[in-house]
Amino acid sequence: MELKQVNDQVWLTRVQLDGYGVQGALIRGETGVVLVDTLSHPSDMAPLLPLIQGRSLTIVYTHADWDHIWGTGGLPWEGARIIGHRACLERFDTDVPATLREKQGAQPHRWGGIKLIRPTETFSRKLCLDAGALEMTLHHLPGHTPDSIVLFLEKYGMLFMGDAVETPFPCLERTSPLSRWIEALDAWEGDSRVQRVIPAHGHMGGRKIIRQNIAYLQDLLDGRPPVITEPLTDFYRHTHGENMAFAGNLASG
Ligand SMILES: [Zn+2]
């Protein structure tokens, strides 16, 4: 796990998986630590323990996809607040354990030690958090998945977007609500408080990332193949094909 300090109160966490990276963050206030996602393995979390020590821990799941939540077992999670969208908690009874079984079957050595740890607290639209003289807000942003949320840290103008945006483009599900997704992204794109956009996959940047994701989704919604100018990795070439197929089905269904 790579740990990168951004300022006195924010660190970025990152691991490389097969074909793509996953990024989260640690935000430290005077009395508490808020962790944005726990990445994919408990061992990913070890470098964070000294930063958490002596403070209350709040874990935020941007959504319940495996690569964002499987690291929780490596943290002092038993006394922690663990927050996700209401739909995130529901997924712990459906696809979350199914994905773990599937990946443990394929690679028992690599994933054998994973323990699934559910949210202890949920919300539906918006939730405010305070890490001690450091406030932030969570907002539902369904699209990539029904339980996707973003975290806004106004003090630094930082918007942690999970998989609501990605570079080079986002990943759809079979039933992604494209218009609603675009509408929510539009609101953030027009919010001048947002200075830095931090997706869980890809690189960070300004609100231009949101703009590019909107353009891609709008093309799919309008039935136009999005124009991709940059070279794609195998992962994103495959994802793009899948996105086009899902969008085609959404339009015809
Ligand atoms: Zn993801």
Side-chain angles (χ1 to χ4, degrees), residues 8-21:
D8 282 354
Q9 295 185 297
V10 181
W11 287 256
L12 298 179
T13 59
R14 185 182 169 82
V15 288
Q16 188 61 34
L17 298 171
D18 312 324
Y20 64 97

Side-chain angles (χ1 to χ4, degrees), residues 20 22 63 65 67-68 144 163 166 200-201:
Y20 64 97
V22 189
H63 59 304
D65 283 0
D67 46 329
H68 302 260
H144 166 67
D163 291 3
E166 290 184 36
H201 306 293

Side-chain angles (χ1 to χ4, degrees), residues 9 19 90 112 114 197 206:
Q9 295 185 297
E90 286 165 10
I114 308 293
V197 170

Side-chain angles (χ1 to χ4, degrees), residues 1-252:
M1 201 271 277
E2 245 176 82
L3 186 61
K4 195 173 114 192
Q5 184 160 13
V6 181
N7 58 42
D8 282 354
Q9 295 185 297
V10 181
W11 287 256
L12 298 179
T13 59
R14 185 182 169 82
V15 288
Q16 188 61 34
L17 298 171
D18 312 324
Y20 64 97
V22 189
Q23 191 160 262
L26 183 146
I27 302 166
R28 195 162 72 154
E30 282 174 13
T31 54
V33 163
V34 175
L35 204 56
V36 183
D37 287 340
T38 63
L39 310 181
S40 60
H41 197 278
S43 61
D44 296 339
M45 296 290 98
L48 302 182
L49 299 179
L51 294 171
I52 295 169
Q53 214 169 33
R55 287 177 165 83
S56 65
L57 175 63
T58 301
I59 296 166
V60 172
Y61 291 154
T62 60
H63 59 304
D65 283 0
W66 69 275
D67 46 329
H68 302 260
I69 61 167
W70 279 5
T72 309
L75 294 163
W77 59 272
E78 270 159 317
R81 277 176 91 181
I82 306 175
I83 302 175
H85 189 264
R86 201 169 51 194
C88 173
L89 178 61
E90 286 165 10
R91 290 182 59 191
F92 277 76
D93 293 320
T94 56
D95 68 293
V96 168
T99 303
L100 180 60
R101 274 196 302 276
E102 193 184 301
K103 291 187 86 74
Q104 283 180 336
Q107 289 179 294
H109 245 71
R110 187 169 178 195
W111 306 116
I114 308 293
K115 184 173 161 55
L116 296 177
I117 297 158
R118 309 161 74 91
T120 57
E121 234 175 281
T122 64
F123 70 101
S124 52
R125 284 173 63 90
K126 182 183 169 186
L127 184 75
C128 301
L129 291 178
D130 187 354
L134 186 62
E135 288 173 5
M136 59 207 90
T137 47
L138 305 178
H139 305 259
H140 191 205
L141 205 164
H144 166 67
T145 55
D147 61 330
S148 290
I149 63 169
V150 298
L151 182 149
F152 184 48
L153 180 60
E154 185 166 3
K155 180 176 179 185
Y156 298 111
M158 294 174 114
L159 184 60
F160 298 91
M161 299 199 73
D163 291 3
V165 299
E166 290 184 36
T167 67
F169 47 73
C171 296
L172 270 62
E173 280 192 336
R174 221 168 280 279
T175 55
S176 287
L178 289 178
S179 322
R180 194 175 168 198
W181 190 354
I182 292 168
E183 215 173 280
L185 290 180
D186 261 333
W188 284 114
E189 201 262 328
D191 189 331
S192 58
R193 297 172 305 161
V194 177
Q195 302 297 317
R196 275 228 246 191
V197 170
I198 301 143
H201 306 293
H203 57 79
M204 61 177 167
R207 276 179 284 154
K208 190 175 165 202
I209 292 176
I210 307 180
R211 211 142 54 227
Q212 285 165 346
N213 276 254
I214 293 171
Y216 181 90
L217 293 171
Q218 190 67 52
D219 280 345
L220 290 180
L221 182 64
D222 295 343
R224 263 191 316 264
V227 179
I228 314 267
T229 49
E230 59 192 290
L232 297 179
T233 60
D234 287 348
F235 176 84
Y236 279 101
R237 204 168 309 119
H238 173 78
T239 300
H240 180 54
E242 224 170 47
N243 284 348
M244 299 266 285
F246 289 162
N249 285 339
L250 285 168
S252 62

